[in-house]
Amino acid sequence: MNDKAMSQGTTQLLLHAESVAAVELPVQKDGPYLPELTDIDLLVRAPEARRDFNVGGAGVTVAVLDTGLRGSHVDFAGRVAPGRNFTADNGGDPADPTDRHGHGTSVAGIVCAGRIHTGVAPNARIVPVKVLGDDGRGRFADVARGLDWVLDHRRPLGISAVCMSLGAADNRATDTDLPGDSIGALLQELSDAGVACCVCAGNEYHAHGGLQGMSYPAIFRQTLSVGAVYDADEGPFRYPDGAKAFSTLPDRLTPFSQRLHHKVGGPCATDIFAPGSPVTSAGIRNDTGESIQYGSSRATAVTAGVVALLQSFHLRTTGEVPTVADVKRWLLRGATVVYDGDDEHDNVGHTGLTFPRISAVGALFACAKELATRELVSAERLAAKTR
């Protein structure tokens, strides 16, 4: 594809879903009231990871495919790379990915806010790719064009991770019935190029009767698919689709989060879970504004931030960005195990199975340990050759 074809919408795409489910509208405040991601940090241990491994995301760039970005917000000062607009908003100007919905800015803040609010990777750069409109809705054709643009610009912009807090409202258990899909092909190309694509598992667990599965495109095995847990005792919640949490505690799966265990989904299973209960982040009301919202969108942003920390640490240590397979392996090795059904108190059924929940400290330790082992083995081989 080329930019002209993408902007005119003339490129023929094979897509197995047409419309993106509308993303939730964050509550906006003048703020700031909560400058830290307090509950998330307690669970994921991001500040500890940044301190212990002296890493903040420097040298890597995350592309956020969403409703755009309030690029003038102080949380992103000096770290916003030129993005792209694939919607009719902002006069259809392809160079203007301004966010007037709030979802994209909120997600981006969780990934890498770095002044008033502190995201998971506060030194990482961000590229806003506006594929959802100011009404929170979108088309997968625009998502595909956004991914194609990221693929073309990954080298000059240094993009090593993608955050896609979006999906269809479906529930799939495999990707084998999606042959030739354009988004699947682009996700594979990006993964092969070392770009980790974090995609939310979906928020329709209750709506689909508690059946295991994930939404499109998280179901593609080449993604890093992300489900949501609570990060604290925040009381009861009632969600628009009918899901109810009568009480909440850290590491309880949220009743809305779609999930797919490897016993059912095999290589298409949900890769990781992360905090996705109400999260405070950057907002669009002004350049110091604040937002708050829940959903697997937030969990996906947390994961993208941890991925950026891993990539930054590896880049500094070895001079290269790690493969996506390496990143996934470290996330899983460093994860905490959560049990779906041990203490959840909600109105949905549970799988009775265990899932991995992300830990920034655990992932970075797994990475550092593997790098040290590789260096030791290399030194031993070199010594053996010189004997």
Side-chain angles (χ1 to χ4, degrees):
M1 294 182 215
N2 56 50
D3 283 352
K4 183 177 180 181
M6 284 189 287
S7 64
Q8 293 178 343
T10 57
T11 304
Q12 295 299 310
L13 300 169
L14 176 59
L15 302 168
H16 286 83
E18 180 179 350
S19 299
V20 179
V23 294
E24 66 272 14
L25 190 69
V27 174
Q28 300 291 334
K29 303 178 182 179
D30 289 332
Y33 299 106
L34 293 172
E36 300 291 333
L37 305 179
T38 310
D39 292 335
I40 281 180
D41 287 341
L42 289 173
L43 199 69
V44 175
R45 300 167 67 192
E48 184 180 344
R50 294 192 296 266
R51 182 190 68 238
D52 291 355
F53 293 89
N54 189 28
V55 65
V60 302
T61 305
V62 180
V64 177
L65 275 67
D66 214 291
T67 61
L69 180 75
R70 186 179 178 99
S72 59
H73 197 292
V74 297
D75 275 341
F76 311 110
R79 294 181 294 112
V80 180
R84 193 77 173 178
N85 173 28
F86 290 95
T87 75
D89 295 329
N90 306 326
D93 182 356
D96 184 4
T98 300
D99 179 17
R100 292 184 175 85
H101 177 276
H103 189 271
T105 299
S106 176
V107 164
I110 296 169
V111 177
C112 64
R115 184 158 309 177
I116 294 177
H117 305 89
T118 304
V120 177
N123 295 333
R125 293 216 309 164
I126 184 170
V127 177
V129 183
K130 186 174 174 65
V131 296
L132 302 180
D134 293 337
D135 60 358
R137 302 179 182 277
R139 304 179 307 151
F140 278 109
D142 293 330
V143 173
R145 294 183 180 99
L147 287 171
D148 189 75
W149 184 89
V150 170
L151 186 63
D152 286 344
H153 291 79
R154 70 189 188 283
R155 290 188 184 278
L157 295 179
I159 299 171
S160 58
V162 166
C163 181
M164 292 173 59
S165 292
L166 54 82
D170 55 355
N171 196 51
R172 298 173 178 270
T174 183
D175 63 1
T176 57
D177 59 344
L178 303 173
D181 184 85
S182 297
I183 286 179
L186 286 163
L187 290 168
Q188 186 64 63
E189 285 191 74
L190 286 164
S191 181
D192 291 344
V195 180
C197 298
C198 305
V199 188
C200 66
N203 296 326
E204 311 295 331
Y205 186 62
H206 178 271
H208 289 291
L211 295 176
Q212 288 194 57
M214 289 192 296
S215 68
Y216 168 95
I219 193 61
F220 286 114
R221 66 191 70 196
Q222 54 266 39
T223 68
L224 277 171
S225 53
V226 188
V229 297
Y230 290 107
D231 52 41
D233 179 356
E234 301 187 80
F237 286 96
R238 184 188 299 263
Y239 300 99
D241 70 344
K244 300 176 184 177
F246 304 115
S247 65
T248 55
L249 283 175
D251 276 338
R252 286 182 178 176
L253 272 66
T254 64
F256 57 77
S257 181
Q258 286 169 257
R259 62 207 70 172
L260 180 62
H261 196 270
H262 66 82
K263 288 184 177 180
V264 177
C268 298
T270 310
D271 290 303
I272 201 85
F273 280 72
S277 55
V279 182
T280 301
S281 184
I284 61 170
R285 187 170 288 181
N286 54 55
D287 287 346
T288 57
E290 190 168 86
S291 65
I292 185 167
Q293 190 51 273
Y294 61 86
S296 56
S297 293
R298 275 73 202 152
T300 306
V302 171
T303 301
V306 175
V307 167
L309 292 181
L310 278 170
Q311 293 174 331
S312 180
F313 179 79
H314 192 277
L315 179 64
R316 189 186 70 207
T317 305
T318 70
E320 299 177 341
V321 173
T323 67
V324 174
D326 284 340
V327 168
K328 184 177 290 192
R329 184 173 62 257
W330 297 326
L331 289 175
L332 294 179
R333 283 184 179 175
T336 295
V337 174
V338 296
Y339 184 85
D340 177 23
D342 59 342
D343 63 349
E344 278 76 10
H345 187 207
D346 52 35
N347 68 339
V348 297
H350 298 278
T351 64
L353 299 168
T354 58
F355 291 90
R357 192 265 294 156
I358 201 165
S359 165
V361 168
L364 279 159
F365 179 77
C367 172
K369 186 174 182 179
E370 186 170 312
L371 291 179
T373 301
R374 289 180 191 174
E375 192 169 330
L376 177 62
V377 170
S378 179
E380 288 176 344
R381 287 176 178 171
L382 181 61
K385 288 181 180 179
T386 60
R387 289 189 189 119

